[in-house]
Amino acid sequence: MKKIFTLIAVAAMAISANAQEISLSGLETTDFTYAAEDFSTGTYEVKIHDSDTEKTTVSVFNYIKVDKNNWSPLALTGKNVEFHYKNKDVKDNFYQLWPLCLNVNGKDSRIVIKNAKAGDVITLKAASKGSTASVFVATENCTADANNPADAGAKETDPANFTEFKFTATAAGDVTIQETKGGFNLASITITSNGGGEGKDPTTPKTWDFTTTTAESFGTGWTEDSSTSGRYTYGTAIPADTYKDLGEIGFAYGAGISVGRTGGSLAANAIRVDVGKQMQLNASNGIYKITGLAKNDVVKIRFASASSTDENDRTFTITNGNKTTIIAPKDQSVVEEEITVAADGDLVLQQNKGINVKAITINAALPTGIDNVIAAPAKEAKSNAIYNLAGQKVSEDYKGVVIKDGKKYMQK
């Protein structure tokens, strides 16, 4: 006898004051956000249930990136859930949008819950997709419930018979759960807040002022650049999509900010600090990550383009903030931006090219002082730009004390 199913178009609904169930039935490819270079879409004919002869045509995502080093995200639009995959081969029909569940057609894929709060409980309602039983493991920022079954058992396509797997977030931030054996069917994800949905308390104010750093700030692994006086660099590469706290890599002054790069490693000597001036990640797609923030925390940043010859402005792309992009003007003028954190979790600033960061604060004013206006390091081409003591760009006709190439002059 054929089983009757109903297509559910709604992707999520609240099931209590402090829990959210995200249903994965009745979805279309238009319900997801993804990079065109990572996935293509299509259709595929499958049986609705093993016991049925009836088939249905479902929408699918094909994995086309052919990249075994970087995770490709497929995000459920408007929800804090992403599915990640990487492989050295093309994978057709990898994600299949079945009427009652999402079918993930291969092992070693990840489920990522964005911006979880410490203590949140994530429940997966899942089943094996084939002859190999699915196994779910806690990978990042979570622990598996001691009562979880060892695996998802035999192949199952009816959500009424799916198994529940529970994981608890160990800290505020992203939670990653990985299936390690054979792919799976996923009917829903439920996120239950241990804090009743109130969120974290505001973060204690903190300031990182890179214009006041000293040579004593640097530990093992840092060396002074012989060609640029006062510049220190970190000599070990950081692998792609890996983030290291500055304190963890021997720069105690910056502890609390993690750095890394997406799409490639952060090469040796790419992390630069000009003593008493600024910090710089000398890489495209370099990332600054401030972890464990609370919703409505205010992060302020003072920065400038690291190039005096670039024909275009440089940018930071923001994740989990009220702004999506902030700009470092091509004339190297120093700018200040204020970002309000959108949800408990991490604030990510991803640069498209090198940017000099002067200071960052959480729930505090940016430090004052004329030393916050710094010209490019000596090894780079000098700028003819002139600034007043407030850091504003002025013309040759301006009268008074000005700053040019990092030095003060009296202009009459």
Side-chain angles (χ1 to χ4, degrees):
M1 179 177 179
K2 295 178 182 178
K3 297 181 181 179
I4 300 173
F5 60 86
T6 302
L7 296 180
I8 304 172
V10 178
M13 65 177 181
I15 59 174
S16 72
N18 65 343
Q20 180 189 39
E21 181 182 26
I22 300 171
S23 173
L24 297 169
S25 63
L27 295 171
E28 302 292 340
T29 54
T30 52
D31 294 317
F32 292 84
T33 302
Y34 57 96
E37 61 268 24
D38 294 351
F39 299 100
S40 67
T41 60
T43 57
Y44 183 61
E45 191 176 55
V46 298
K47 286 184 180 180
I48 299 173
H49 295 90
D50 284 350
S51 59
D52 295 334
T53 58
E54 182 180 353
K55 290 187 175 182
T56 185
T57 299
V58 301
S59 298
V60 303
F61 286 98
N62 304 304
Y63 179 76
I64 60 175
K65 190 172 186 178
V66 192
D67 184 348
K68 64 180 180 180
N69 296 314
N70 299 296
W71 294 96
S72 297
L74 181 69
L76 187 55
T77 307
K79 307 299 174 187
N80 52 335
V81 171
E82 293 180 354
F83 301 93
H84 289 199
Y85 187 66
K86 64 180 179 180
N87 197 277
K88 64 181 179 180
D89 299 315
V90 168
K91 292 285 186 179
D92 290 336
N93 309 322
F94 189 77
Y95 292 106
Q96 301 179 15
L97 306 182
W98 286 27
L100 296 176
C101 62
L102 170 70
N103 172 266
V104 182
N105 194 27
K107 68 175 183 177
D108 292 329
S109 63
R110 291 181 165 187
I111 302 167
V112 179
I113 310 300
K114 307 291 289 183
N115 301 318
K117 295 187 283 293
D120 280 359
V121 176
I122 295 96
T123 303
L124 308 180
K125 194 171 184 180
S128 301
K129 78 166 190 67
S131 58
T132 302
S134 306
V135 175
F136 297 90
V137 298
T139 304
E140 295 176 349
N141 196 31
C142 64
T143 57
D145 191 298
N147 295 318
N148 278 354
D151 57 51
K155 179 179 180 180
E156 182 58 67
T157 57
D158 186 346
N161 300 321
F162 280 21
T163 302
E164 288 191 347
F165 295 83
K166 294 182 183 293
F167 299 84
T168 301
T170 54
D174 296 349
V175 164
T176 303
I177 301 162
Q178 188 160 346
E179 196 286 318
T180 61
K181 294 297 182 181
F184 57 96
N185 297 325
L186 187 64
S188 66
I189 300 171
T190 301
I191 304 168
T192 305
S193 174
N194 197 35
E198 296 300 323
K200 296 177 57 179
D201 292 333
T203 303
T204 302
K206 185 165 186 178
T207 297
W208 295 272
D209 185 356
F210 297 109
T211 70
T212 61
T213 54
T214 65
E216 289 72 31
S217 304
F218 305 95
T220 303
W222 291 79
T223 57
E224 187 171 9
D225 190 328
S226 59
S227 62
T228 304
S229 178
R231 169 176 288 173
Y232 284 75
T233 59
Y234 184 65
T236 302
I238 297 176
D241 301 312
T242 299
Y243 301 95
K244 295 287 188 179
D245 187 278
L246 290 173
E248 181 183 355
I249 61 174
F251 182 37
Y253 181 92
I257 295 179
S258 295
V259 296
R261 186 184 181 202
T262 184
S265 66
L266 194 58
N269 304 319
I271 306 175
R272 302 174 171 180
V273 178
D274 296 305
V275 170
K277 294 183 178 180
Q278 60 214 4
M279 178 176 179
Q280 180 198 134
L281 301 183
N282 185 32
S284 60
N285 298 323
I287 285 177
Y288 294 85
K289 181 185 288 189
I290 307 174
T291 59
L293 296 177
K295 180 179 180 180
N296 295 325
D297 276 348
V298 175
V299 174
K300 297 180 181 179
I301 179 170
R302 179 181 288 130
F303 60 99
S305 172
S307 172
S308 61
T309 59
D310 205 331
E311 295 181 356
N312 300 303
D313 296 335
R314 297 189 172 188
T315 60
F316 275 121
T317 300
I318 311 299
T319 301
N320 195 28
N322 66 326
K323 298 177 181 178
T324 56
T325 305
I326 55 178
I327 295 173
K330 61 185 178 182
D331 65 2
Q332 285 194 291
S333 56
V334 178
V335 295
E336 297 177 355
E337 289 281 357
E338 180 177 301
I339 304 157
T340 301
V341 177
D344 290 355
D346 302 343
L347 181 71
V348 175
L349 299 95
Q350 178 174 327
Q351 62 187 38
N352 66 334
K353 293 182 178 180
I355 294 175
N356 292 329
V357 176
K358 314 293 184 177
I360 298 175
T361 66
I362 304 173
N363 297 331
L366 285 163
T368 59
I370 61 172
D371 288 338
N372 292 320
V373 183
I374 305 295
K379 192 162 75 171
E380 300 176 2
K382 292 185 177 181
S383 169
N384 292 322
I386 302 171
Y387 302 91
N388 62 20
L389 296 185
Q392 299 166 324
K393 190 173 181 181
V394 296
S395 70
E396 295 280 356
D397 298 329
Y398 180 86
K399 291 180 173 55
V401 178
V402 297
I403 299 171
K404 183 176 181 181
D405 293 329
K407 297 181 179 179
K408 289 185 288 185
Y409 300 91
M410 175 60 74
Q411 191 162 274
K412 300 180 180 180

